[in-house]
């Protein structure tokens, strides 16, 4: 074997055994690079006599092209192999079952808050808010509940040990009615229609009472807003809320210091097939309280009771929710129990 033949065979051997494209590149440089073995030989042709140079030159060029061909073929094989390896390591099995992610849902109270807000907005009621940490003044005095009035103790109030001011002690509001006064103080030019939905607190705990719950408050004041407006609006609101075409209201005389006259509002229902149906039957269910706003409350809101009058009403948000969606234990609303939430919650995807 000539020297050049030896070079060719060892070179081909190395090419065949190259394990990756990087190795193949190294071989190419070592043989055909600027200082490569074959390049050196081509350079040495310069010193050869003319006739010999032709023969040897042709031989080297033939070898060069053979090596190049073999490198190209090997490169192709290696590239395919490397691609296959990469693809198989990145393999995605699209037929695999998806990983289950826990999904959230809309809390029933959130759902009903939206429903109620939507209906009240249709009547032109504007949403207003008040603080949950109230003062004795707004929670009681401004609502015609004077000092030492039994209603103050009836409410089982949580007092807050926080510096007092001239509005009396601070407390966690026991109802949303203080928002009536606060809203009037912001805009006391009738006619106006305000509503509020928010947390209230009373020291009580059993299946039908939780120390924190939510109320819906409504207030409508104008020149001639009367009891019949209250009755009409309540009937219409409850028909829309429960989605029934007809509904009867029973207004029972009651007492609230901030309304006079005051009423408890009942709606008719019956139990059919284990389900409660509103708007039919002759049983009565209490759903709200309301009445004609007491002149002293209008005064607290800087509204002249000789010129204006109106009605106010209050619902329990949890009670409305329970009646519509069948939740029996009030405490469940606030326990963050995932199983309960999945059973009573609502999907984010609207149908
Ligand atoms: N604030 C009353 C309560 O908590 C409900 C109510 C609101 C009654 C407005 C009349 C008018 O029981």
């Amino acid at each position: 074997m000539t020297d050049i033949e030896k070079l060719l065979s060892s070179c081909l051997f190395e090419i065949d055994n190259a394990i990756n494209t990087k190795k193949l590149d190294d071989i190419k440089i070592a043989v055909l690079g600027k200082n490569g073995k074959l390049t050196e030989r081509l350079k040495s042709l310069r010193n050869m006599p003319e006739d010999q140079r032709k023969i040897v030159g042709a031989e080297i060029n033939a070898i060069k092209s053979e090596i190049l061909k073999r490198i190209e073929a090997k490169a192709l094989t290696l590239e395919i192999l490397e691609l296959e390896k990469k693809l198989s390591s990145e393999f995605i099995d699209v037929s695999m079952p998806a990983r289950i992610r826990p999904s959230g849902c809309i809390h029933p109270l959130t759902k009903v808050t939206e429903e109620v807000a939507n209906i009240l907005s249709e009547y032109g009621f504007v949403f207003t808010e008040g603080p949950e940490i109230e003062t004795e003044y707004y929670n009681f005095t401004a609502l015609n509940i004077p000092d030492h009035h039994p209603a103050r103790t009836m409410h089982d109030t949580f007092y807050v040990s926080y510096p007092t001011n001239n509005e009396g002690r601070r407390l966690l509001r026991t109802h949303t009615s203080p928002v009536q006064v606060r809203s009037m103080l912001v805009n006391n030019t009738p006619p106006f229609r305000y509503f509020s939905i928010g947390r209230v607190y009373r020291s009580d705990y059993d299946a039908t009472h939780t120390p924190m719950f939510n109320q819906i408050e409504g207030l409508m004041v104008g020149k001639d807003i009367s009891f019949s407006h209250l009755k009409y609006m309540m009937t219409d609101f409850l028909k829309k809320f429960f989605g029934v075409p007809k509904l009867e209201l029973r207004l029972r005389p009651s007492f609230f210091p901030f309304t006079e006259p005051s009423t408890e509002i009942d709606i008719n229902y019956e139990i059919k097939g284990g389900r409660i149906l509103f708007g039919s039957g002759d049983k009565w269910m209490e759903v709200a309280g309301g009445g004609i706003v007491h002149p002293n409350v209008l005064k607290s809101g800087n509204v002249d009771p000789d010129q204006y009058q109106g009605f106010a009403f209050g619902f329990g948000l949890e009670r409305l929710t329970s009646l519509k969606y069948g939740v029996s234990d009030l405490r469940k609303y606030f326990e963050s129990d995932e199983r309960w939430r999945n059973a009573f919650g609502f999907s984010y995807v609207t149908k």
Side-chain angles (χ1 to χ4, degrees), residues 143 155 174-178 180 200 202 213 215-218 255-256 258-259 262-264 288-291 311-315:
L143 291 166
H155 277 195
T174 59
H175 53 174
T176 43
S177 299
Q180 288 185 30
V200 302
R202 292 181 197 176
F213 58 105
Q215 282 190 337
I216 302 156
E217 189 86 15
F255 174 77
F256 299 106
F258 31 92
T259 47
S262 302
T263 181
E264 251 13 290
F311 65 75
F313 60 85
F315 287 98

Side-chain angles (χ1 to χ4, degrees), residues 212-241:
M212 187 276 292
F213 58 105
N214 291 270
Q215 282 190 337
I216 302 156
E217 189 86 15
L219 172 71
M220 181 164 179
V221 173
K223 275 254 180 264
D224 51 10
I225 304 299
S226 71
F227 215 91
S228 14
H229 291 112
L230 172 65
K231 184 175 182 190
Y232 173 80
M233 214 213 95
M234 287 290 106
T235 311
D236 200 57
F237 170 85
L238 289 159
K239 276 203 285 199
K240 283 181 177 150
F241 178 73

Side-chain angles (χ1 to χ4, degrees), residues 134-138 162-170 182:
E134 262 298 1
T135 60
E136 279 184 298
Y137 175 74
Y138 283 105
Y162 190 68
T164 55
N165 58 12
N166 56 5
E167 291 167 5
R169 285 178 290 174
R170 291 187 199 268
R182 288 190 178 272

Side-chain angles (χ1 to χ4, degrees), residues 5 26 32 40 49 58 61 88 93 98 108 126 174 188 212 242 283 336 343:
E5 282 168 349
D26 291 346
L32 303 166
E40 292 293 328
N61 276 324
S88 68
D93 184 353
V126 173
T174 59
N188 51 19
M212 187 276 292
F242 287 112
K283 292 191 168 72
S336 303

Side-chain angles (χ1 to χ4, degrees), residues 149-164:
H149 191 284
R152 293 206 182 197
T153 45
M154 258 162 49
H155 277 195
D156 296 316
T157 314
F158 286 115
Y159 285 91
V160 179
S161 53
Y162 190 68
T164 55

